[in-house]
Structures are given as structure tokens and as C-alpha cells.
Amino acid sequence: INASFYFTNKEFQMKLHLRELLSPVLLNQANVFRFRVPQVLRRKHREKTQKELDALVEEWVATWKRKRFDAGRNTTALKIKKKRESDIERGCIPFIGQSVFKGTLFPTRDEWLYMRDHYEEYIPLLLWEKYYGPEKFLRWYPSYREEIKRLLSETYDFETKRVVWMFGYGSLISPDSPPHGLSDDQKKQIIPYWLKKQAGYRRVWNYRHGPVGINAFGLEEVPQGKDGAMNIAGCIYPMDYEKASDLFSFREEGYELLLMDAEYFEPMHPDYALPRGIGYLWMCGEPIKNPVEDISDSDLACKRHNPTADSPILQSYLDTVLEGALR
């Protein structure tokens, strides 16, 4: 029936593919093929041109603005960080720093199975967590080296999977505080990564969650030509496009949405790199600032705020970030 409509409705003029014709048979719920085609038979993926990436960004921004408007949020808190002309001329942006991880970074399957059966030796367990030790182990070590590398090797295709890649550098790097809405496969792809200092940012305590009264991490842009920018350690992970838009309308609504060119990122281990062709990663930028220039202003509408007695840094928040960094 699908094949007949393909010709009678002239669907071939819409550039539909086999995926659309036989999707009930060939695709699973994640919109990917049920059967893996051998590598030698797969069609080579063509990376998007800059014009195509710009059109993709326009779609992302339109959805983000619609979600923000529906939630009653500011729709102008957005920044797109493209490569500078000098970076384009060099061809690549070198990482200025030292490697962190040696070995395999993630356990092999045999190692992972042993760790799973002896989880008490590999994860910190508080007294009331002992009963839920196996569940916590799977949060901390959701997968093993071979599976993670296989997932990362899959071709990035936004039109098919409707997935974007994110970068977290605060509480989101903790396995006990991941973003909501990740699928099982997405949780397995939380990978340690650097945001290079050439992006022009530093991580500071400048975000105030007014209703809660705590101070958290945010970014601060360093003027071009001045010192102070840093390599920022964090984690990358894939997330469904619609859920990513929701994230910046609710949980992270006090931050600018920063779309950062993928060239400004560096893997902490060369075996675990982003799929090619992503273009831009989503991340929390600078906290949203109200018209008052004084960063210490007490107006609760101003999210950009240094720590104060009424907006302190919580030890529990710091522990959560450090726990993720140590993991």
C-alpha cells in the first residue's frame, strides 16, 4: 500500500526514502532501523554545509522561542557562538591543555560485569542507599566501553532522530543529578569533555535561583583579547530535541541558551568523540540579567548574581558537582 501511494501521490517528488515507505517494518520506537547494515554497505554520510547548519539553527531557535513564550519566559536570552574568522583560517581550533584520562576511560564488558557484581567496591553508598546499590551502580556506570563506542559511531542525522547534543558543566555532570528525559541509550553516552578556552568563557559562581535562595555555577564571557578564559570540564550527552527546548524553559530557564560551535569542544579521551556533523551544542550560557547594571542587585528577577548571605553556595550543591567531577 505504501509503495502504491509512493507513485499515485507522487511522493517520490517529496524526496521520501525507503525509511518512510516501510517504517512500520524496518524502524523501532527510536526511529532507527531494527537491523544493522554492515559497515561496508552503509551509505557514506554527507556532512552539512554551513548554510544547512544555519537553517537548522533557525529551526532550533524558533522552537525554543515558542516553548519560552508558552512558559511566560524571556525569548531574547539567546546567543550563538560561531567560529571566528581567525579560527576558520587556521582550519581547526587546537586544545591548549593536558590530557586527563589514560587507559580505556570506561570499563570493558568483562570489567563492567565484575563491577556490577561487586558494586559496593566501586560506588559510594550512604547508609540509606545500601538497599538501592544495584540501581545506583547502573546510574553511575550505565554501560561499558564497547557499547558506548558503538553508540557514538552511529551517524548523526537530526532529521531522522530529532536529537541534539548538550554540554553540562555544573550539577548536570553528576550521575545522581542528570537531566530528566534521557532515554537508556542517551544515558550511556554521557561523556567527559572540554569546552576550550578559545570559546572565550570562564565558569564562575554567578547564578542565583531566587525562589530557592542558592547560588550556582554559570558562565561569564571574557572580552576578546583579554585573559581569564579557561578550559571548562563538563559532560556531553544527546537529548531529544523537544525535551531540550523544555529544559531551557523550565529547569534552566534562568540561563541564556548558548549554541556553541562543535569545534570549540575537545574530548577528554580520543576514543570517545562526538559524532561528526553535529554543528552546534546546546548549553547554559550566562545567567539572565535584568536592566540594573549592578551584579549585586537584590532584585529576584535578576539571575546574574554573586554569592551573598541570602544567596549562598550550598555545600550539598558543591558536593554534587565534585562527585560528578570525581566520577
Side-chain angles (χ1 to χ4, degrees):
I1 294 174
N2 282 342
S4 65
F5 282 132
Y6 184 71
F7 295 102
T8 58
N9 293 346
K10 298 184 178 180
E11 291 179 353
F12 57 87
Q13 295 181 355
M14 305 179 203
K15 299 182 179 179
L16 295 181
H17 307 291
L18 186 65
R19 178 185 297 272
E20 284 78 7
L21 294 177
L22 300 176
S23 58
V25 177
L26 298 181
L27 304 184
N28 59 23
Q29 290 182 342
N31 201 28
V32 296
F33 283 104
R34 299 179 187 275
F35 315 103
R36 292 185 60 80
V37 179
Q39 190 73 34
V40 294
L41 299 179
R42 295 182 192 177
R43 185 179 61 180
K44 188 174 181 181
H45 180 66
R46 181 184 66 83
E47 291 189 25
K48 293 184 181 295
T49 64
Q50 189 59 49
K51 185 177 180 180
E52 290 172 327
L53 288 174
D54 290 342
L56 191 59
V57 168
E58 288 182 7
E59 179 185 344
W60 292 350
V61 170
T63 301
W64 172 82
K65 286 185 175 181
R66 172 174 56 81
K67 298 266 189 178
R68 296 277 295 189
F69 181 81
D70 291 343
R73 312 293 188 193
N74 184 323
T75 60
T76 61
L78 169 74
K79 187 170 290 185
I80 302 172
K81 184 76 174 182
K82 299 182 179 181
K83 288 183 290 187
R84 303 186 183 98
E85 291 295 331
S86 57
D87 296 326
I88 296 175
E89 292 173 1
R90 281 198 298 265
C92 66
I93 304 173
F95 176 68
I96 305 172
Q98 297 181 343
S99 60
V100 176
F101 294 105
K102 299 179 181 179
T104 63
L105 178 59
F106 292 101
T108 63
R109 184 175 185 275
D110 290 340
E111 292 170 339
W112 183 83
L113 290 172
Y114 178 86
M115 293 168 63
R116 184 195 63 185
D117 295 337
H118 302 81
Y119 61 85
E120 304 95 337
E121 302 174 19
Y122 296 96
I123 58 174
L125 288 172
L126 300 173
L127 184 62
W128 57 86
E129 292 180 320
K130 292 186 181 296
Y131 182 76
Y132 304 101
E135 289 84 353
K136 183 169 183 177
F137 173 81
L138 291 177
R139 286 202 308 272
W140 280 57
Y141 297 94
S143 188
Y144 45 88
R145 179 175 186 263
E146 295 87 345
E147 184 178 28
I148 295 170
K149 291 187 69 173
R150 177 184 64 78
L151 290 169
L152 290 173
S153 68
E154 294 180 359
T155 301
Y156 177 73
D157 187 350
F158 175 77
E159 285 76 11
T160 300
K161 297 185 178 180
R162 307 299 286 179
V163 164
V164 296
W165 281 79
M166 317 276 288
F167 178 74
Y169 54 85
S171 61
L172 292 176
I173 72 175
S174 170
D176 287 330
S177 182
H180 298 293
L182 297 186
S183 68
D184 289 340
D185 278 352
Q186 290 169 352
K187 291 175 182 176
K188 295 174 183 177
Q189 297 176 75
I190 300 178
I191 310 295
Y193 240 77
W194 290 110
L195 173 63
K196 301 174 187 176
K197 63 167 49 178
Q198 291 94 321
Y201 285 90
R202 60 187 172 203
R203 176 168 42 190
V204 294
W205 296 97
N206 68 344
Y207 175 79
R208 178 177 64 180
H209 195 303
V212 179
I214 66 170
N215 210 264
F217 272 137
L219 293 185
E220 183 176 75
E221 189 169 16
V222 178
Q224 191 172 356
K226 292 194 174 184
D227 295 331
M230 61 173 65
N231 293 321
I232 298 174
C235 289
I236 59 165
Y237 51 90
M239 192 175 198
D240 292 346
Y241 167 52
E242 292 288 339
K243 292 178 180 177
S245 298
D246 288 336
L247 182 70
F248 285 93
S249 298
F250 296 99
R251 173 172 171 167
E252 310 297 350
E253 54 85 19
Y255 293 93
E256 291 179 341
L257 170 59
L258 178 58
L259 298 177
M260 180 71 69
D261 194 295
E263 292 294 328
Y264 284 114
F265 292 89
E266 180 77 11
M268 291 191 185
H269 192 292
D271 287 350
Y272 306 94
L274 281 165
R276 295 186 61 83
I278 287 175
Y280 294 88
L281 280 81
W282 296 41
M283 58 184 294
C284 295
E286 294 183 297
I288 297 173
K289 190 176 182 181
N290 66 1
V292 179
E293 292 299 322
D294 181 8
I295 196 172
S296 299
D297 182 72
S298 61
D299 182 5
L300 290 180
C302 179
K303 300 294 186 180
R304 196 179 307 181
H305 196 284
N306 288 331
T308 58
D310 65 343
S311 182
I313 301 170
L314 292 186
Q315 182 68 52
S316 57
Y317 179 90
L318 186 59
D319 289 344
T320 298
V321 176
L322 289 176
E323 191 174 53
L326 293 171
R327 161 66 183 89

